[in-house]
């Protein structure tokens, strides 16, 4: 496995890989969910690239950029053991040198939900992913369904900007009690961790009720009632997975999405509405 610490080395190493190439962007602090993405990448492509980069552009000034968990040596070890071909782990100053002045503007599915609470977040995600796609030129972009709005935003970007890259969206990997794995779960205090699986339970209940014919309001009320303190709901909604706009009727591709606050930490999750 090659570990490239700058863009020139990454470009050279990526160009030598056998095609098709799959690319898994991450912020490191890897957990079993990230490794599921790597497994999916390896099953789909002849070579796999993983980036480890805590992207400052996608954090607001009041967010956790400085304290976001970093575990470079453990991450590199786990990726080597998982059969990854190339790791790209640049410094922020290499990705955004002095004078950096450009960004991707994203609308459509970037509006609302995470986009409303984190105004520059999806532009920051789209900008870094576009840069890495240009540098590494993969055939497949591997993303987790846990961040469903991110998948919708990046799908729109690839389409709108004519990038010949296919998205492989991988199901959410969960703890045994149902909590979606996340690098931020380490922030949870014991009472928050104990209540955390109720987010997934609530979303699942809403998805079942909605599929069975309950209206949106009734389905979401069931979710709200199932989510336990000290979690506090930021939003709950039923959306189309591509447009990320609210839907009124169960349709192919509908998702129940939710975000809760657990102390200083936000937890996100989503559950697909079962098809009739
Ligand atoms: P992050 O390091 O949090 O930016 O996540 C990197 C990629 O891993 C994104 O595509 C996430 O959606 C995906 N991911 C994070 N957690 C999970 C999970 N529990 N299951 C599946 N994919 C995940």
């Amino acid at each position: 496995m090659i570990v490239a610490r700058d863009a020139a080395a990454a470009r050279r190493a990526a160009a030598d890989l056998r095609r098709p190439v799959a690319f898994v962007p991450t912020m490191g602090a890897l957990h079993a969910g990230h490794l599921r993405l790597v497994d999916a990448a390896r099953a789909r492509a002849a070579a796999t690239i993983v980036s480890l980069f805590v992207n400052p552009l996608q954090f607001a000034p009041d967010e956790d950029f400085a304290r976001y968990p970093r575990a470079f040596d453990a991450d590199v070890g786990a990726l080597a053991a998982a059969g990854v071909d190339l790791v790209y782990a640049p410094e922020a100053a290499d990705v955004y040198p002095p004078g950096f002045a450009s960004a991707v503007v994203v609308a459509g599915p970037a509006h609302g939900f995470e986009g409303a609470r984190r105004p520059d977040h999806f532009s920051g995600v789209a900008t870094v992913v576009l840069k890495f796609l240009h540098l590494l030129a993969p055939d497949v972009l591997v993303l987790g369904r846990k961040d469903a709005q991110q998948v919708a935003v990046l799908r729109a970007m690839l389409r709108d900007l004519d990038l010949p890259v296919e998205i492989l969206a991988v199901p959410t990997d969960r703890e045994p009690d149902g909590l979606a794995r996340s690098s931020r779960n380490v922030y949870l205090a014991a009472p928050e961790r104990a209540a955390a699986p109720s987010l997934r339970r609530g979303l699942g209940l809403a998805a079942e009720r909605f599929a069975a014919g309950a209206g949106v309001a009734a389905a979401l009320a069931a979710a709200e009632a199932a989510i336990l303190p000290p979690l506090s709901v930021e939003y709950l909604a039923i959306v189309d997975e591509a447009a990320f706009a609210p839907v009124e009727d169960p349709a192919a591709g509908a998702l129940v999405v939710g975000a809760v606050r657990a102390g200083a930490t936000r937890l996100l999750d989503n559950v697909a509405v079962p098809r009739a």
Side-chain angles (χ1 to χ4, degrees), residues 1-3 8 32 34 42 48 68 72 76 81 99 104 107 115 129 138 166 170 232-234 252-253 270 272:
M1 184 177 83
I2 296 172
V3 179
H34 294 113
R42 294 190 69 225
T48 299
Y68 193 84
F72 180 75
V76 168
V104 179
V129 170
E166 177 195 318
V170 178
S232 66
V233 172
E234 281 198 349
N270 66 85

Side-chain angles (χ1 to χ4, degrees), residues 32-273:
H34 294 113
L35 297 177
R36 279 262 219 122
L37 269 56
V38 170
D39 290 344
R42 294 190 69 225
R44 171 70 185 75
T48 299
I49 307 173
V50 175
S51 62
L52 302 172
F53 181 59
V54 185
N55 175 31
L57 277 197
Q58 70 192 67
F59 289 76
D62 63 339
E63 290 183 342
D64 57 343
F65 174 71
R67 70 176 189 126
Y68 193 84
R70 287 162 172 88
F72 180 75
D73 294 338
D75 289 349
V76 168
L79 295 174
V84 167
D85 299 278
L86 170 61
V87 172
Y88 176 41
E91 297 294 336
D94 187 28
V95 180
Y96 306 117
F100 184 87
S102 306
V104 179
V105 176
V106 288
H111 280 144
F113 312 106
E114 292 308 294
R117 276 139 197 98
R118 309 181 68 190
D120 297 322
H121 173 72
F122 286 124
S123 174
V125 169
T127 301
V128 78
V129 170
L130 184 64
K131 279 184 66 104
F132 288 5
L133 292 176
H134 283 316
L135 187 71
L136 304 167
D139 304 287
V140 182
L141 175 63
V142 185
L143 301 171
R145 290 189 191 274
K146 174 180 168 283
D147 298 292
Q149 193 171 8
Q150 173 168 279
V151 175
V153 168
L154 293 177
R155 207 183 278 291
M157 179 184 80
L158 297 183
R159 180 199 63 207
D160 296 346
L161 302 184
D162 304 312
L163 282 133
V165 181
E166 177 195 318
I167 285 186
L168 177 59
V170 178
T172 301
D173 190 50
R174 298 178 179 283
E175 303 283 353
D177 62 9
L179 173 63
R181 291 189 206 274
S182 164
S183 307
R184 290 188 168 99
N185 290 348
V186 297
Y187 298 154
L188 298 174
E192 296 158 0
R193 177 64 188 82
S198 69
L199 171 58
R200 150 74 185 281
R201 277 201 302 280
L203 300 180
L205 204 57
E208 279 168 31
R209 298 266 169 99
F210 189 60
V216 172
L220 295 181
E224 179 118 36
I227 295 172
L228 301 172
L231 307 186
S232 66
V233 172
E234 281 198 349
Y235 62 78
L236 294 168
I238 306 181
V239 301
D240 172 79
E241 72 176 354
F244 244 78
V247 295
E248 296 298 329
D249 296 305
L255 296 178
V256 185
V257 298
V260 298
R261 193 161 273 285
T265 305
R266 301 178 68 247
L267 301 177
L268 299 190
D269 207 339
N270 66 85
V271 171
V273 175

